[in-house]
Amino acid sequence: MTDDRPAAGDLTDQRVPGRAAVGTITWIGAVRQEPPMRRSTTLAAWGCAALALAETAFSPAVGGVSLLAKAVLVITVVTAAAFALRRWVPGPDLIDVQPFTVKDVTGAEHPCRVRGSLPHGLPSEGTGVEVYGRADGSGSVLVRELITEDGRAWRPRLPLPHRIARGVQLLNVLLWAVAALAVAWLLVFSR
């Protein structure tokens, strides 16, 4: 062990929030294309929409036809807004994903992925890095920031159309959640 590096136990015992790996880049894979939208966000929007529709179907039993008309009005307005968002905001194409592997001082390998682009490209193999991010469902780390051994920070950026599309997708979830809450409020407080 050299004097300029801490012992393996000292390095792994340090709990820095968000830091997923510290080590050396050992492998850089080919850039591949992935869809930009997350399935969990789409499922959340569909779940909120299904809840709002189920509440609307239940509304005649609670408050009669007038409550049904109010619930249908809420669903119609939200459906129109969601359709307008999807129609007017362009859907982005596939996004670049750069896989690489970081090997730490204990010998463990950490698969990592960079979504989007890095301003100066990915550091070369053999470069010491600290990887900040979170592990996704596949077990690889989705990189938020790379810090090289010389102190340079590398932050991946999504292209503007992808950032807009993510914002629209979150707004769509919010619209359907508000619709479900509005119909639930009508069920509880309408007479």
Side-chain angles (χ1 to χ4, degrees), residues 83-143:
F83 178 75
L85 280 173
R86 292 185 62 90
R87 178 86 172 133
W88 292 332
V89 175
D93 294 334
L94 298 174
I95 190 166
D96 290 341
V97 176
Q98 176 79 52
F100 65 99
T101 302
V102 173
K103 186 173 186 177
D104 64 16
V105 293
T106 63
E109 291 191 345
H110 304 275
C112 302
R113 296 180 316 140
V114 173
R115 287 177 55 102
S117 61
L118 291 168
H120 305 290
L122 196 63
S124 61
E125 289 182 14
T127 304
V129 294
E130 291 182 38
V131 179
Y132 291 86
R134 61 177 172 77
D136 61 5
S138 67
S140 66
V141 176
L142 185 60
V143 176

Side-chain angles (χ1 to χ4, degrees), residues 41-100:
T41 309
T42 304
L43 290 175
W46 279 103
C48 289
L51 179 62
L53 290 173
E55 293 169 346
T56 301
F58 184 65
S59 64
V62 173
V65 176
S66 65
L67 184 58
L68 176 63
K70 292 174 189 175
V72 167
L73 178 64
V74 168
I75 297 296
T76 303
V77 168
V78 170
T79 301
F83 178 75
L85 280 173
R86 292 185 62 90
R87 178 86 172 133
W88 292 332
V89 175
D93 294 334
L94 298 174
I95 190 166
D96 290 341
V97 176
Q98 176 79 52
F100 65 99

